Amino acid sequence: MTYRRKIHIIGDSIGKGWALGRYEEEITPAYYLYPVYLFRSISSMANNVLYENGIRDEFYYTGVPAVNFSSDISTTVAAIRALIANGTIRSGDVVVAEDAGQHNQDPDLYQSQWEQVRAAVVDRYDITFVMMSMFSYPNAAADYQYSTLFGTRTMNEATVAAYQATIPNERGQTLWVDMKTAMDNWRSSANSVDNVDVMHPDDIHPNVWGQALMVGELLKALNYRPYLNTADGLKNLAYNQYGLLKYGSTTFNATRAFQYMQKCILG
């Protein structure tokens, strides 16, 4: 049997899936009765479009945090190394790291933590590690701001520095996704054209449209886009259920929902 590449997401609630305002296990009624259950997470949306295009690679959420003030970084590093040692994460796989949680307001420490996590992924096997800048907006508290100066630099600047750092004995590769710029542009466009927000009111969690943008950016970064000819499953569901996806807009319609999904997923 040919081994299919797996994309392992480490991170917090965004990586796990909170686009519908609650986690998968909290969604009621049962999934087969909930109209937009398919949009529950990055993994669900990405896997749907990959499968539709005959690609059997798989996204899934590991349950491991990335860098978060509330977690011990040594525990995260140990968990990643254990997943590699037991064969859950294999040579040729991808680890996507996302962190939008409460940080320590210490960019130097934050950079160090990122470097430790990155090293745990790439210093032994040819595993691809994906890092990203993080979007954050005014409603989020200071501990959730990633573009605000803490001392002399921002958390996003610290993350870039960790991406650019030299990792001894690096065998894998590290990719960078500027998710902040992509989300900023997408939020501005959707708001100005359709009065649709792509974030939940907390300004931390993306809703379905913000999450769809993240899915598309990851598919692009991992070079899936040239092999995607269709995303009809996602687009048709958005078309049929646009009423659940207008987020207060009075002008948003089914055609726009279809177009939004096309833009986010296929570019």
Side-chain angles (χ1 to χ4, degrees):
M1 173 188 282
T2 301
Y3 177 72
R4 305 295 185 179
R5 182 168 73 162
K6 288 188 177 180
I7 298 88
H8 312 262
I9 299 176
I10 63 173
D12 48 38
S13 52
I14 294 176
K16 182 176 180 179
W18 211 76
L20 300 179
R22 49 209 184 278
Y23 293 126
E24 178 176 347
E25 63 270 20
E26 299 169 340
I27 295 173
T28 55
Y31 71 90
Y32 51 85
L33 296 176
Y34 194 79
V36 292
Y37 184 75
L38 179 59
F39 297 152
R40 66 193 179 275
S41 67
I42 291 171
S43 296
S44 176
M45 295 180 74
N47 289 337
N48 181 269
V49 72
L50 290 179
Y51 190 86
E52 187 175 314
N53 285 273
I55 301 170
R56 297 300 183 260
D57 295 354
E58 180 186 8
F59 281 69
Y60 88 107
Y61 177 66
T62 63
V64 176
V67 178
N68 193 303
F69 179 66
S70 63
S71 65
D72 182 346
I73 199 63
S74 64
T75 301
T76 295
V77 168
I80 291 169
R81 292 201 183 279
L83 291 173
I84 294 172
N86 68 25
T88 299
I89 301 175
R90 304 187 188 186
S91 177
D93 279 357
V94 176
V95 175
V96 172
E98 165 276 320
D99 176 48
Q102 183 181 19
H103 54 66
N104 47 36
Q105 299 189 19
D106 181 344
D108 294 341
L109 178 58
Y110 195 67
Q111 177 182 339
S112 173
Q113 291 174 331
W114 267 121
E115 289 180 20
Q116 292 176 66
V117 173
R118 181 181 162 209
V121 175
V122 302
D123 69 356
R124 298 184 184 183
Y125 300 97
D126 60 332
I127 299 167
T128 297
F129 188 52
V130 179
M131 298 177 67
M132 66 183 74
S133 58
M134 187 46 57
F135 43 86
S136 55
Y137 301 107
N139 285 339
D143 275 355
Y144 295 86
Q145 295 289 341
Y146 284 79
S147 299
T148 298
L149 283 175
F150 293 98
T152 59
R153 53 180 185 159
T154 69
M155 294 298 163
N156 276 333
E157 289 170 335
T159 310
V160 171
Y163 160 71
Q164 295 172 337
T166 299
I167 300 296
N169 305 313
E170 183 172 1
R171 297 186 182 183
Q173 64 172 331
T174 305
L175 304 179
W176 177 256
V177 177
D178 188 359
M179 200 67 79
K180 177 194 180 302
T181 298
M183 192 66 75
D184 286 353
N185 292 339
W186 178 222
R187 191 181 200 192
S188 176
S189 174
N191 268 321
S192 62
V193 176
D194 295 298
N195 195 30
V196 170
D197 205 339
V198 303
M199 297 291 295
H200 283 296
D202 63 7
D203 270 356
I204 297 171
H205 295 92
N207 60 29
V208 168
W209 295 124
Q211 180 178 268
L213 186 280
M214 294 186 73
V215 171
E217 290 298 309
L218 291 174
L219 292 174
K220 179 170 63 175
L222 295 174
N223 200 37
Y224 285 113
R225 281 260 180 94
Y227 307 98
L228 302 180
N229 298 311
T230 175
D232 286 351
L234 298 180
K235 292 193 297 182
N236 289 336
L237 181 57
Y239 182 92
N240 291 328
Q241 299 297 333
Y242 78 92
L244 295 175
L245 306 173
K246 59 185 180 180
Y247 298 107
S249 172
T250 59
T251 58
F252 194 68
N253 57 40
T255 297
R256 293 299 284 154
F258 187 93
Q259 292 170 343
Y260 269 36
M261 198 62 74
Q262 167 78 24
K263 174 180 173 60
C264 287
I265 303 300
L266 300 180

